[in-house]
Amino acid sequence: MTQKFGPATLAIPGPSTAPERVLRAMHRASPNIYEGELVDMMPGIVADLKAVARTAHDVSIYICNGHGTWEAALSNTLSRGDQVLVLATGRFAQGWKEMGESLHLKARMIDFGTDAAVELEQVAAALAADTDHQIKAVLCCHTDTASSVRNDIAGLGQLLSDTGHPALFMVDCIASLACEPFEMDRWGVDVMITGCQKGLMTPAGMGFVFHGPRAWAAHETADLRSGYWDWESRARPKMFYQRFCGTAPTHHLYGLREALNMLVHEEGIEQVWARHERNARAVWAAVDHWAEQGVVQPNVADRANRSTAVTTLRLTEGSVVPLRRWAEEEAGVTLGVGLGLDINVPRGDNLFRIGHMGHLNAHSLLGTLAATEAAMLATNTPFHPGGVAEAIKVYAAV
Ligand SMILES: *Cc1c(COP(=O)(O)O)cnc(C)c1O
């Protein structure tokens, strides 16, 4: 017998749960793409996206996922053979690096491991050693979604500006935008990329690249530019259709409009960040309690280095497969798979992830945590019971 019938919950770190309102906004007839509502709504969408990114600069919008924005960021600013410095704290910066290598960039990586954040001193040393400015761009993930490490983007931006190194600063905020405080302009970020399916609560299918004046200057000489990905007409279109290099993602734009109404105009982005932080503290309260005994550990020990959008848990012994299966089949909660962080466990069966990004509150997240605790109990996974009670205290503020 299964007990999963009832509302299903997706607790993976992207795609996140799309609110009913967003889905309903998308359920409509195809619109006129030459004039009228869709075209008129575009300036407001651009303004609201920039408000979420905290930038006064430009945004290029693509019909693509996060991987597409990796390519767009690099191809608009760099040339064949250019060197990039990749700061890795999990798996996703490596993915960006591989995308760069496929574009014939030379990538140098500093690997900070899979449970700690970027160390500014090491980056400072690498930049100082690069006296002839071979490094054209520094690439970093704000949140690495595999490890759930969150990096100090403000600190890195300050460091780049203090050293005076001319490299562009590019940040992957695919898992963090609208989940963590982020200030593109104040923190000195030249290029920021994100997708619509995580903090922006819209079904997967749109990617965004935000870019400032230093990135525009690099764009002038970048020889990796290509017709479809080029910013030129996307960011500053003379005609509506140029923004998307063809037909607009019509229904996604209606969904995104509704999501931005919720995030920017109803809740307010700072309140969105505060909600994520409280949700994250509830998850950490549960996880740190579970970890007091048994085999379940948070992947990132130091709370200061933890993402507020996703938490990776590690079993020091055994496999997460039965636990994830129980949660899905018996409790209707789909937990995130582990992405291999250990060479000797390539499939990541020692890890699982709780996504806490997007449309979530005490009710939904406590459900996920309780189902996770039940799954550990049901599968005889040794842990310290009572984590959910600790999470409840975070919400009740006692
Ligand atoms: C999800 C994610 C990606 C990949 O996005 P896709 O839409 O799956 O291509 C890249 N980087 C980070 C940090 C992510 O969280």
Side-chain angles (χ1 to χ4, degrees):
M1 179 187 124
T2 173
Q3 304 189 52
K4 75 176 173 185
F5 294 99
T9 296
L10 191 64
I12 68 176
S16 67
T17 296
E20 269 303 313
R21 281 174 59 182
V22 169
L23 297 175
R24 275 203 303 273
M26 296 175 77
H27 189 89
R28 48 170 299 145
S30 292
N32 182 347
I33 58 167
Y34 305 110
E35 63 205 351
E37 190 184 37
L38 185 78
V39 176
D40 295 345
M41 151 176 130
M42 211 54 225
I45 288 180
V46 168
D48 288 346
L49 285 169
K50 289 174 17 173
V52 173
R54 303 282 197 148
T55 184
H57 304 307
D58 288 299
V59 58
S60 291
I61 309 178
Y62 299 88
I63 302 177
C64 73
N65 59 16
H67 282 66
T69 65
W70 278 345
E71 177 159 345
L74 301 173
S75 66
N76 273 284
T77 50
L78 299 169
S79 296
R80 211 169 237 270
D82 277 354
Q83 193 183 117
V84 295
L85 180 65
V86 178
L87 310 178
T89 56
R91 268 281 295 272
F92 282 86
Q94 278 95 319
W96 203 358
K97 167 179 174 276
E98 284 155 20
M99 185 65 83
E101 287 166 339
S102 80
L103 295 168
H104 309 285
L105 296 172
K106 287 200 206 95
R108 213 178 108 200
M109 188 168 93
I110 310 182
D111 190 349
F112 297 89
T114 55
D115 57 5
V118 165
E119 271 177 44
L120 300 186
E121 299 73 28
Q122 280 197 56
V123 182
L127 292 175
D130 183 41
T131 47
D132 55 351
H133 298 162
Q134 288 296 306
I135 298 169
K136 302 298 179 204
V138 175
L139 276 46
C140 186
C141 290
H142 190 192
T143 281
D144 186 292
T145 322
S147 62
S148 71
V149 168
R150 188 261 319 274
N151 287 307
D152 176 8
I153 300 303
L156 276 168
Q158 187 65 48
L159 177 91
L160 270 146
S161 117
D162 291 348
T163 57
H165 194 293
L168 294 175
F169 186 27
M170 302 196 188
V171 181
D172 173 341
C173 288
I174 297 173
S176 60
L177 195 74
C179 303
E180 303 260 3
F182 178 80
E183 301 276 355
M184 174 158 172
D185 294 354
R186 270 216 284 142
W187 294 355
V189 175
D190 297 301
V191 178
M192 184 273 275
I193 59 173
T194 197
C196 66
Q197 80 273 26
K198 298 190 185 180
L200 294 178
M201 315 190 299
T202 303
M206 268 187 296
F208 310 94
V209 182
F210 298 82
H211 39 96
R214 280 168 26 90
W216 271 118
H219 178 265
E220 281 177 25
T221 55
D223 79 8
L224 289 176
R225 278 163 61 179
S226 66
Y228 186 74
W229 295 106
D230 201 298
W231 288 340
E232 192 76 48
S233 56
R234 283 185 185 264
R236 294 172 179 175
K238 293 185 191 69
M239 313 265 284
F240 176 75
Y241 80 91
Q242 292 178 323
R243 188 178 281 288
F244 299 100
C245 197
T247 305
T250 48
H251 289 69
H252 272 79
L253 289 173
Y254 283 103
L256 181 66
R257 178 62 275 163
E258 190 67 10
L260 290 168
N261 287 345
M262 296 168 75
L263 294 170
V264 178
H265 299 290
E266 293 169 23
E267 189 174 2
I269 198 65
E270 288 173 14
Q271 176 52 40
V272 171
W273 296 339
R275 174 168 52 83
H276 277 83
E277 153 132 38
R278 193 177 67 157
N279 286 341
R281 281 195 291 109
V283 174
W284 302 341
V287 171
D288 290 342
H289 184 87
W290 293 335
E292 282 172 19
Q293 267 164 236
V295 301
V296 182
Q297 296 291 324
N299 181 54
V300 182
D302 185 350
R303 285 191 176 197
N305 297 337
R306 289 185 190 172
S307 164
T308 58
V310 53
T311 297
T312 303
L313 292 93
R314 175 183 294 277
L315 299 196
T316 53
E317 228 179 85
S319 163
V320 301
V321 171
L323 186 165
R324 284 192 61 254
R325 186 182 301 132
W326 193 95
E328 188 163 74
E329 290 180 2
E330 301 298 325
V333 173
T334 304
L335 296 166
V337 297
L339 295 179
L341 297 175
D342 298 341
I343 300 282
N344 42 2
V345 195
R347 281 187 309 142
D349 283 353
N350 58 335
L351 305 168
F352 70 100
R353 294 176 297 164
I354 299 174
H356 37 100
M357 49 178 60
H359 194 53
L360 290 168
N361 56 18
H363 154 257
S364 46
L365 201 50
L366 285 171
T368 293
L369 293 172
T372 305
E373 189 158 336
M376 294 191 295
L377 203 57
T379 56
N380 296 316
T381 306
F383 73 104
H384 186 212
V388 174
E390 298 305 310
I392 288 169
K393 290 182 197 163
V394 171
Y395 289 113
V398 294

